[in-house]
Amino acid sequence: MQKLFIRKYLNNKVYAYMTAAAFLMISVLLGISIGTVSVPPLDIIKIIGGELFSLSSNEYTEPMFLNIVMNIRLPRVILAGLVGASLAIAGAAFQGLLRNPLADPYTLGVSSGASVGAVITLFFGISFPFAGLFTLPILSIVFAFLTIIIVLAFTRRIDRSMKVETIILTGIIFSSFLGALISLMIALTGDELRQIIGWLMGSVSMRGWDYIKIIFPFFLIGALILLMNGRELNAMSFGEERAQHIGVNVQKRKMLILVAGSILTGGAVAVSGTIGFVGLVIPHLTRLLWGPDHRHLLPLSILTGAGFLILADLLARTIISPTELPIGVITAIVGAPVFAVILMKNRKERRG
């Protein structure tokens, strides 16, 4: 009886959104509250409410709390949430498109491609007059898109059937190659870009509101494109031929999804560096909890992905405080075992 109740609860999409939203809200409160100086949740609500609605209550708030919340922790939490949401929805879309839970921006080499674009921008000091601060994410997105196109083209050359295992293996090979290129560029620059090593391991530390302004438009564009293609992803998850039979323009939709995934990944990498496994773990767990329907899987992945990375960042900055771990270390510790479990499960299903 209890199992039946839990199953009905999980299958009810209203409760799914309520649960995911509650998880995100709790993550945000914890991310802002916990640190070297603890800020009471009630004060957090008063401060944010006061800033949003120009209330006078902030006049009676401890000035130190006001500074910590508005200038340090809130922008960090929002940035972590946007990065987590971007990677999670991109991973869910790639998994639906390629019909395999092992696909994500990290394993497909898209994150590495975006990182190469970012490092080249910093290495050569590139700045487009018309783009300004957006030069970095624009080049990250271009390189992310080029990488996924090259990976798919190379896979087609060596395996006409385009097996997903071959695509992922090709993505991992390209990811290793691009990682070597990044290491070479860092080695050639001397000391001035050695700080980029920490950035490449993934971090949202000391980024501030400017970085939120950089990622937000790319998150909005990429997420909207994917959300508008939820039905088409459902159709393509049963095979491209079947999708064509029911009237889906497969080539157009596939290109839109790849472009949107590259926009999301490039924007995330530009502000936080390479953070692996978020796009693998979150969509997989969301799918297990609430089903494979992409009309709900994509928005739920946004909520859970944002909450997950906020908690991962909280752990990264508190576990060995006052020293901070790169957030990519935390996600890799969680993600690598999950990747192994999914791989073994897929192998058993194929043998069975």
Side-chain angles (χ1 to χ4, degrees), residues 74-97:
L74 182 60
R76 179 170 183 155
V77 162
I78 292 174
L79 187 63
L82 288 171
V83 170
S86 298
L87 295 174
I89 189 175
F94 285 142
Q95 288 171 15
L97 183 65

Side-chain angles (χ1 to χ4, degrees), residues 237-257:
S237 64
F238 292 104
E240 293 183 8
E241 288 184 9
R242 194 166 177 180
Q244 281 179 330
H245 284 314
I246 60 174
V248 175
N249 187 335
V250 171
Q251 294 305 317
K252 178 184 175 183
R253 296 295 175 175
K254 188 190 293 185
M255 190 59 67
L256 275 173
I257 291 162

Side-chain angles (χ1 to χ4, degrees), residues 138-150:
I138 287 170
L139 284 178
S140 292
I141 288 163
V142 169
F143 275 81
F145 182 67
L146 287 174
T147 301
I148 189 64
I149 293 298
I150 292 169

Side-chain angles (χ1 to χ4, degrees), residues 100-153:
N100 193 291
L102 292 173
D104 89 314
Y106 189 74
T107 56
L108 292 174
V110 183
S111 291
S112 295
S115 296
V116 168
V119 172
I120 285 175
T121 305
L122 296 171
F123 185 84
F124 292 106
I126 300 170
S127 179
F128 300 139
F130 62 87
L133 283 174
F134 293 99
T135 301
L136 186 63
I138 287 170
L139 284 178
S140 292
I141 288 163
V142 169
F143 275 81
F145 182 67
L146 287 174
T147 301
I148 189 64
I149 293 298
I150 292 169
V151 165
L152 293 175

